[in-house]
Amino acid sequence: MSADEAFVTLATTDSYCMGATVVARSLRRHGTTRHIVVMITPNISEQSRLALKNEFDDVIVVDVMDSEDSLHLSLLGRPELGITFTKIHCWTLTQYSKCVFLDADTLVLCNVDELFERDELSAAPDPGWPDCFNSGVFVFRPSLHTHTRLLDHARRHGSFDGGDQGLLNSFFSGWSVEDISKHLPFIYNLSVSSVYSYLPAFQQFGHGAKIIHFLGGDKPWKSQGNSSGSHTMEQFVSLWWKEYLIHTTPSAPAAQPKQEQKKPQQIPEREAKMKSTENLDSTNSLLAHFSPPSESLYSQPEPTLCSHTDGRQLEEEPRSLEEESRSYEETEVVDPPLGAEGLEGSDATADAATDPRPADAEPEQLEHRRMWEMGQVDYLGRDSFQNIQRMLDRFLD
Ligand code: UDP
Ligand code: MN
């Protein structure tokens, strides 16, 4: 564990706390050795804070900052983004020597600890204007001096887009021309919208995606996973919900120290990837973009996200469906850590979706519940993600 390096995210509302939870879980699922930290603002509810304390190594309360730049924000069509100035506080985390910031609307698909080999300020191009970097994923060095200079820059020049990205791009203005090692490959910040703006590139390189970014107004927590009208988007949103709802059985007793409790969640990369792709209909799934629909998902070493980077995976024999199904028994759908009030425009969604027992439960249902609670989840049948999603749909309706 490199205790002086950390992944950092930010949540200023209970909804973004849901996103932050997925960031932490997906990082842990892929076995990061770095600390995982969330910055929250004082308005975040006590319930959400407690839930975040279970997921993060550190929960740090920071002041709200707002660009109050309604003109630029209205040009961008995102009046809510002034609050993203709060992100600048990440430079105050001087207990860490180097950090990787991840927006709360990102989903990590494999281990990305190699990002710590990069230096400040490393980031991937913005799909809308590639001479600017996108500030959803960036490597930085906490420093009170830089923090002060950033605030000063904000006061003098504001932000050309009203949010943190405009400010950071004008502060680190040499990014586009100075040092190519500070250009992260696009697969570290793959915005879902880019899939459609350059589909052949996605077909060619998408299997290497490492971090998905739900850039723009449609956040996965606002979605049922089937409302976008596009299969690829649906699959990404489904992966997000899956990460939110499913993680490995915490076999360690609750009284154990936090680090001990977290260890069981670190499952082998290969299994994690299979969880990400299980139950995806091969004709509809992301995989359909990478292989002909007629190819079986399990009959050969299927192309999976991040596959080219995982040495262990390449050495392994492809596993049978039975083996995969056994590995799912280690996983469990648990009550989401955040209360239903975290969901915009819905109530009790996640709790209801993870509680398969109706009020007047039959013995069979009670048995199902018992098995569920023991971690014996029928991922390929009754408890398949499609069924969970159906429950979610019912409650979101
Ligand atoms: N954010 C937040 N509350 C908000 C808006 C944004 O906490 O109301 C944080 C959150 O970490 C989010 C980041 O600021 O991921 C940037 O905002 P967003 O991801 O919505 O912008 P986009 O990536 O869509 O441009
Ligand atoms: Mn974002």
Side-chain angles (χ1 to χ4, degrees):
M1 168 79 66
S2 306
D4 71 332
E5 295 180 338
F7 287 97
V8 179
T9 189
L10 163 71
T12 71
T13 66
D14 280 356
S15 315
Y16 276 94
C17 286
M18 293 176 73
T21 298
V22 166
V23 171
R25 285 189 182 168
S26 58
L27 282 167
R28 239 178 257 295
R29 171 187 288 282
H30 297 296
T32 182
T33 60
R34 277 25 180 226
H35 275 196
I36 311 179
V37 175
V38 62
M39 300 188 296
I40 57 167
T41 43
N43 58 302
I44 294 295
S45 69
E46 195 53 39
Q47 191 190 1
S48 291
R49 285 180 202 213
L50 282 174
L52 290 174
K53 281 188 177 139
N54 261 329
E55 307 285 344
F56 286 86
D57 295 300
D58 216 349
V59 178
I60 296 168
V61 182
V62 295
D63 288 337
V64 179
M65 266 208 294
D66 197 322
S67 70
E68 289 174 358
D69 190 347
S70 52
L71 178 66
H72 283 126
L73 287 168
S74 67
L75 275 175
L76 197 65
R78 300 284 301 279
E80 76 279 16
L81 285 191
I83 198 117
T84 65
F85 260 45
T86 310
K87 206 187 270 191
I88 305 307
H89 287 320
C90 67
W91 265 273
T92 66
L93 303 178
T94 52
Q95 62 272 46
Y96 300 106
S97 64
K98 194 189 280 186
C99 296
V100 173
F101 185 90
L102 297 175
D103 263 9
D105 58 344
T106 57
L107 172 67
V108 176
L109 300 178
C110 57
N111 187 296
V112 290
D113 285 0
E114 70 274 13
L115 283 173
F116 290 92
E117 290 162 21
R118 307 274 180 152
D119 213 340
E120 178 172 285
L121 185 292
S122 295
D126 185 81
W129 195 268
D131 279 348
C132 289
F133 58 83
N134 182 275
S135 62
V137 176
F138 62 89
V139 183
F140 69 102
R141 280 190 183 279
S143 148
L144 294 182
H145 180 61
T146 310
H147 183 243
T148 308
R149 284 173 57 223
L150 273 163
L151 293 183
D152 191 49
H153 192 91
R155 261 189 301 271
R156 285 169 194 246
H157 308 288
S159 162
F160 66 79
D161 65 5
D164 65 290
Q165 182 161 309
L167 168 64
L168 290 174
N169 269 278
S170 64
F171 187 80
F172 295 101
S173 59
W175 176 84
S176 68
V177 290
E178 279 171 6
D179 183 353
I180 195 68
S181 75
K182 294 183 178 175
H183 284 226
L184 297 181
F186 198 59
I187 50 171
Y188 285 98
N189 187 347
L190 180 70
S191 58
V192 175
S193 53
S194 310
V195 171
Y196 309 108
S197 53
Y198 197 0
L199 188 58
F202 178 70
Q203 284 170 330
Q204 182 73 8
F205 305 113
H207 67 278
K210 288 167 180 266
I211 301 177
I212 300 290
H213 187 181
F214 295 91
L215 185 92
D218 291 336
K219 301 305 183 197
W221 52 86
K222 293 183 183 174
S223 153
Q224 302 175 30
N226 60 0
S227 55
S228 72
S230 82
H231 286 317
T232 311
M233 179 66 170
E234 273 173 37
Q235 297 295 338
F236 281 131
V237 172
S238 288
L239 286 182
W240 186 93
W241 273 108
K242 203 168 205 177
E243 194 66 77
Y244 185 69
L245 293 171
I246 299 172
H247 62 91
T248 51
T249 310
S251 49
Q256 284 195 8
K258 188 154 63 172
Q259 279 310 319
E260 290 303 310
Q261 281 183 43
K262 281 175 182 164
K263 276 184 189 145
Q265 295 185 17
Q266 295 180 7
I267 56 177
E269 190 82 357
R270 164 83 182 176
E271 280 175 36
K273 269 195 283 290
M274 290 312 299
K275 284 180 177 63
S276 299
T277 52
E278 55 140 329
N279 290 328
L280 299 185
D281 170 351
S282 64
T283 55
N284 284 344
S285 77
L286 274 178
L287 297 171
H289 291 289
F290 309 131
S291 58
S294 58
E295 288 175 8
S296 159
L297 191 57
Y298 296 102
S299 62
Q300 53 185 289
E302 78 292 344
T304 53
L305 299 170
C306 302
S307 57
H308 66 298
T309 59
D310 186 357
R312 269 175 307 162
Q313 182 186 344
L314 293 174
E315 283 156 25
E316 279 176 14
E317 291 293 311
R319 304 198 311 174
S320 70
L321 184 56
E322 260 169 76
E323 285 170 319
E324 294 302 344
S325 125
R326 258 201 308 282
S327 80
Y328 301 148
E329 287 171 13
E330 295 162 29
T331 69
E332 176 182 36
V333 177
V334 298
D335 288 341
L338 300 172
E341 69 282 0
L343 282 167
E344 286 169 351
S346 68
D347 44 50
T349 305
D351 279 341
T354 54
D355 186 348
R357 181 177 58 174
D360 54 344
E362 299 292 336
E364 189 205 336
Q365 286 165 315
L366 288 174
E367 175 61 10
H368 178 224
R369 170 69 178 214
R370 197 180 65 79
M371 298 294 281
W372 179 283
E373 285 172 352
M374 284 167 54
Q376 304 287 306
V377 179
D378 180 15
Y379 276 102
L380 297 176
R382 182 173 181 167
D383 307 318
S384 72
F385 185 66
Q386 283 96 330
N387 286 344
I388 294 171
Q389 202 167 26
R390 236 171 264 139
M391 267 189 271
L392 278 170
D393 290 347
R394 265 210 311 279
F395 279 88
L396 285 167
D397 285 344

